Amino acid sequence: MSERLARLLGGPETAWLVDRVRHRLERGRPLGGSVTLGTATPEQRRAIERLLGRRAGTGASLSVSLDEVDRMLRSSGACPEGLATAVVLLQGPVRDLGRENTERETAWREAYTELDAVVTGRTELSGWREWLESTGLVRRIAGDPREARLLLGTVAALLLRLPHPGIPIGRLSAESCGDAHALDEGKPLAALALSAARALSGLPYAGDGTADARRSAWAAVGVHLDDLSSSVLCLGLPGDDDTATGRVLAALRTAGEPCVLTLRQLRRHDTPVAAGLVRICENPVVVAAAADEFGPHCPPLVCTSGRPSAAVWRLLDLLSAGGCEFAYHGDFDWGGVAIASAVRERINWRPWRYDAASYETAVSTTRAVTSATGAAASFAGTVTSAAALSGRPRETPWDPPLAAAMARHAVRVEEELVLGDLLADLAAELGSTGSR
């Protein structure tokens, strides 16, 4: 690079001009026309005047003809090869962004090579393969084509073994991925592999994101998750002396303490559980309060703890097989209605203060409480109001007026707010049957 070129274009006052030219070169655009600097300093203006050998106009902005700069560099000998070469001499080689983008897109397409070899001919996976690319899921997870190729290659290896007649997910992960935890929830590979399992099962590729949905999707292709992480909370269920799970239930019923059973325990218990009327609630606080209030005399109670887990389903199946009847209560919100509907699809239950009349009463009580506390709250500069109902409305086939009442009032009522009524029902049941 000549000393004159460095003096004319190599300083900080002309750096903006060189950057603009480089930007055009990187994108394959011609070096014709003018470039403009919106607000030029006196030093920047003087630098352009030295470069062109003339006044550079007046005003705040500064426009420079690239054709003029190219001619000046060639004719003056500062850079006989012209402006494009001058930029390379000043700042180094210019990237070809068009070529780089083409190469990157080629690399992304090639990242699917191993997966496509496995998917070809498997019609149940063709739509999923298109979905992967159209949603950009792989690019979001992987970040670059090299990592994507590794991930998709591992998914391809998994698909060669699925569906499986029966294998724990940790073993499948260790044997196919070289890491027993590669398919754990939250890992980059897990989302891709789970969507593939859903595709094989004919389920929506994205799923609903719940733990139970994940277990169901894997189970549909013969893969079993850790059955210790799934559990169910219950109270007052009768046990027996013949099985390990039966003895646990019996001991905790006698002690009047809530019982947490794992899916592993329940899968190893094949004996139906006969308990008469079993009440189902959604929130653990109901079980805790019932244990405090009634201890060993509490009527049978099962808690879904929100969306039912596989352990909840297993226990309900055992109770249903034992000829039990069920009464259900949950939160008065659309999520609670969805949970109630899911349970009702599995077992038949009657409402336990989970109908329109009970909701109307609960709303009136809630509004009365918030109205009474509103004045006191205003002194502290806060606002107290009933919780607003949000989410997508759902039908309540066990009591159609309930959905209409919820939509009309748009007030959310959690189980904790009607806990006294639920405990009163349990007490009444004890009074009618006698303590056990």
Side-chain angles (χ1 to χ4, degrees), residues 74-376:
R74 293 177 187 274
S75 62
S76 68
C79 185
E81 294 83 2
L83 181 55
T85 299
V87 171
V88 174
L89 292 173
L90 289 166
Q91 294 187 344
V94 175
R95 295 170 60 190
D96 185 342
L97 294 182
R99 178 179 55 80
E100 289 180 14
N101 289 336
T102 299
E103 291 176 350
R104 186 182 302 109
E105 289 306 310
T106 299
W108 274 112
R109 287 194 298 272
E110 292 177 347
Y112 287 84
T113 300
E114 291 182 60
L115 181 65
D116 286 341
V118 173
V119 170
T120 299
R122 300 179 69 172
T123 56
E124 70 275 21
L125 292 173
S126 59
W128 168 75
R129 168 64 178 85
E130 295 173 1
W131 174 82
L132 276 186
E133 198 155 6
S134 64
T135 59
L137 177 62
V138 176
R139 297 197 184 207
R140 291 196 302 274
I141 292 176
D144 64 71
R146 181 178 177 277
E147 184 181 355
R149 184 164 195 148
L150 293 174
L151 285 173
L152 293 173
T154 305
V155 174
L158 286 168
L159 286 173
L160 288 173
R161 305 187 63 182
L162 297 178
H164 197 282
I167 187 172
I169 195 168
R171 179 180 171 186
L172 175 67
S173 182
E175 294 177 355
S176 302
C177 314
D179 178 359
H181 298 286
L183 296 176
D184 287 356
E185 185 73 6
K187 293 294 184 69
L189 181 62
L192 294 175
L194 182 58
S195 67
R198 290 186 174 117
L200 288 173
S201 308
L203 299 171
Y205 308 139
D208 63 13
T210 65
D212 192 50
R214 179 172 175 263
R215 291 187 184 93
S216 298
W218 278 118
V221 293
V223 181
H224 309 300
L225 303 191
D226 176 15
D227 53 10
L228 292 177
S229 61
S230 179
S231 62
V232 56
L233 175 66
C234 58
L235 175 66
L237 291 184
D240 59 60
D241 296 327
D242 302 323
T243 65
T245 299
R247 287 190 288 272
V248 169
L249 286 171
L252 289 175
R253 184 190 191 194
T254 299
E257 290 296 328
C259 178
V260 176
L261 297 174
T262 67
L263 179 59
R264 178 185 176 88
Q265 291 171 298
L266 292 167
R267 278 181 171 166
R268 284 160 173 73
H269 186 88
D270 297 325
T271 305
V273 180
L277 174 63
V278 177
R279 296 182 184 270
I280 304 172
C281 62
E282 184 182 337
N283 298 283
V285 68
V286 179
V287 176
D292 291 340
E293 185 78 13
F294 306 111
H297 306 297
C298 187
L301 193 60
V302 173
C303 181
T304 67
S305 298
R307 188 88 181 177
S309 66
V312 173
W313 293 134
R314 174 62 178 168
L315 178 57
L316 293 179
D317 287 345
L318 289 172
L319 290 166
S320 182
C324 295
E325 296 181 2
F326 300 95
Y328 185 92
H329 189 278
D331 289 336
F332 285 112
D333 58 24
W334 298 125
V337 169
I339 293 171
S341 298
V343 176
R344 194 168 184 267
E345 289 177 1
R346 188 85 168 219
I347 59 170
N348 188 33
W349 52 258
R350 66 173 185 261
W352 174 25
R353 291 186 183 266
Y354 203 59
D355 51 24
S358 299
Y359 175 71
E360 295 277 5
T361 300
V363 168
S364 297
T365 301
T366 300
R367 285 175 170 164
V369 170
T370 55
S371 176
T373 58

